[in-house]
Amino acid sequence: GCDDPSSPLAYDNQGHGTHAAGAAGADKGAPLFHDYADALAPGAKLVILDAGFIGGDSCTQRPGLGCPTRDLRPVLEQAYLQGARIHSNSWGDLQGVPPPFTPPTANYSAGAAQIDDFVFNHPDMVVLFNTGNGGALGRSSLSAPGVAKNSIDVGGAYINNNGDLTVSDYSGRGPTRDGRLKPDLIGPDFVLAADSDLDVSTRNCNVSSQPGTSWSSPTVAGAAALVRPYFVDGFYPSGSRNLAAGRNPSAALVKAVLIASARPAPLEDSAGVTSFAEAVPSFRQGFGMPVLDDALYFSGDASKLRIVDRAQTEGLASGQSYTMRLKVTSDQAVRAV
C-alpha cells in the first residue's frame, strides 16, 4: 500500500517516474549547458507528485491516484499552487478492468472531463499525456484520460536502423471514440534520460535508454517549457528578450505553437522502408514532431510569428467573428493554428 517517507528505498521504487522527470527537465553536468543525457529544458524547475506503484490494481496501478481513480482536479491544483504551469503525465486509467484484460480505449472518461474542466478554469495550465502503447489494437487505441479536449496527447516516434525518424507501431492511435483528432503530436519514445538505482540516499546520476510513449509526453513537456518562457520573457514580438513585453501565455497558445512547429514523420513498412504515406494531421501522429524554431520568431529570422491570445472573457461569443490580415508573398509558406 503506502510508502514510508523515512525509507531511502521508498522514493520512486520502480524507476518510471525518474526517467519521465529526466526526459522533461534533467540537467547532468554543467548547469544550464547541454550535456550528455540532458533534457530539452535543463533549466526547468520540477514539482514531483509521487503517485506510488503497486503493479496490480485495476485502475492506474498508482495508489496515490486512488482506485477508482480519484478526481484529478485536486491533483492538478496541488501542482498549480506550487507554481507549475506544465503538467506531464505518463499513465493511463484502466477504468476498473484488471490486467491483462484490455480496458476501454480512446473514450471520454471521467478523468478526461475533469482535465477539461480544470484547464477551462486554469487557462494557463498545460496538461500533457502520452497515448499509451496500445497501437497494436489499431484505431482508437489511445489510453484515457489523455484524450481530453484541453490536453496535449503525445504519441511516439523513434530513429530506425536507416537513421530515419518514424512513427512507432506501438504508439496509441486515434481517433477518439467521439471522433476527435488525437494524438495532437508525437515525441521521442526511445529516450536517453536519468535512471534510478531505487535508493535515494546514493545520489546516483545514472542514465539509460528506454522505449515507450511514457517518454514522449515529458519530452514534449520539455518543449512546452521552452515555449512558455519565450512569451513570459518577452521574446514576442521583437524576437529578442524584453521583459516589459512579457505575457502569461495560455495553454491554448502553447499548444498552438507546438502544433505550428510540427513536422510530419514518415511511416515504416514491414520491410523497414520509410515513406510519407499519410497526410497530417493523422490519427497516428497528429500534426507530427515539434521543431520549435519552425514556429518561434527570433531576431533576424525570415519567418514571422503572429499571435492572438485573449482571456476567455474577451473571446468570441457564438455568431461573432474576428478577421486577421496577413501580407504573404508567393514564395512564402503560411501555417495557421
Side-chain angles (χ1 to χ4, degrees):
C2 298
D3 290 336
D4 177 5
S6 64
S7 170
L9 303 180
Y11 288 81
D12 191 14
N13 49 15
Q14 195 271 339
H16 184 272
T18 296
H19 202 70
D27 190 3
K28 182 178 174 68
L32 301 182
F33 289 89
H34 273 292
D35 301 298
Y36 179 77
D38 273 1
L40 265 69
K45 295 180 180 179
L46 300 182
V47 173
I48 304 297
L49 172 66
D50 185 357
F53 177 76
I54 55 176
D57 69 22
S58 60
C59 301
T60 65
Q61 303 182 34
R62 306 285 189 270
L65 295 177
C67 191
T69 305
R70 69 181 65 208
D71 190 332
L72 296 177
R73 287 168 289 196
V75 176
L76 296 169
E77 182 77 17
Q78 179 181 356
Y80 190 89
L81 291 176
Q82 293 183 74
R85 293 298 181 267
I86 299 167
H87 199 281
S88 181
N89 297 266
S90 297
W91 60 272
D93 185 359
L94 300 179
Q95 301 173 73
V97 178
F101 300 103
T102 302
T105 56
N107 62 311
Y108 192 74
S109 65
Q114 291 157 7
I115 292 167
D116 280 344
D117 181 66
F118 185 89
V119 177
F120 182 84
N121 289 292
H122 302 74
D124 58 345
M125 183 63 144
V126 181
V127 179
L128 303 98
F129 271 84
N130 65 318
T131 60
N133 302 323
L137 299 173
R139 287 171 60 89
S140 301
S141 52
L142 306 161
S143 61
V147 296
K149 176 184 176 183
N150 293 337
S151 71
I152 299 176
D153 205 28
V154 186
Y158 70 103
I159 303 295
N160 66 10
N161 292 332
N162 297 322
D164 297 320
L165 177 72
T166 185
V167 182
S168 299
D169 285 340
Y170 59 73
S171 180
R173 305 179 191 180
T176 64
R177 297 292 176 181
D178 54 8
R180 288 178 292 114
L181 173 71
K182 290 285 176 173
D184 300 291
L185 298 162
I186 52 174
D189 67 7
F190 196 81
V191 172
L192 178 73
D195 201 358
S196 173
D197 62 359
L198 311 184
D199 185 343
V200 71
S201 66
T202 64
R203 296 172 176 254
N204 74 304
C205 285
N206 295 343
V207 298
S208 65
S209 295
Q210 299 183 29
T213 62
S214 283
W215 325 129
S216 303
S217 47
T219 303
V220 174
L226 301 180
V227 173
R228 180 175 166 79
Y230 175 87
F231 294 104
V232 172
D233 293 346
F235 281 91
Y236 181 84
S238 70
S240 300
R241 186 189 304 272
N242 177 13
L243 294 179
R247 65 172 70 207
N248 182 32
S250 68
L253 174 57
V254 174
K255 183 177 182 179
V257 168
L258 291 171
I259 289 173
S261 74
R263 296 183 184 181
L267 305 180
E268 185 175 53
D269 63 19
S270 58
V273 177
T274 55
S275 63
F276 285 96
E278 63 178 4
V280 294
S282 75
F283 295 139
R284 289 196 58 169
Q285 60 177 295
F287 290 87
M289 176 86 78
V291 180
L292 297 184
D293 198 45
D294 285 1
L296 297 178
Y297 170 76
F298 292 96
S299 181
D301 287 352
S303 298
K304 305 296 183 181
L305 174 66
R306 179 82 177 270
I307 70 165
V308 175
D309 192 29
R310 292 177 177 164
Q312 294 169 357
T313 54
E314 301 172 359
L316 297 177
S318 296
Q320 292 182 325
S321 65
Y322 173 82
T323 300
M324 176 187 290
R325 288 181 170 84
L326 303 174
K327 183 177 181 180
V328 184
T329 61
S330 59
D331 60 345
Q332 289 178 307
V334 178
R335 183 172 295 187
V337 180

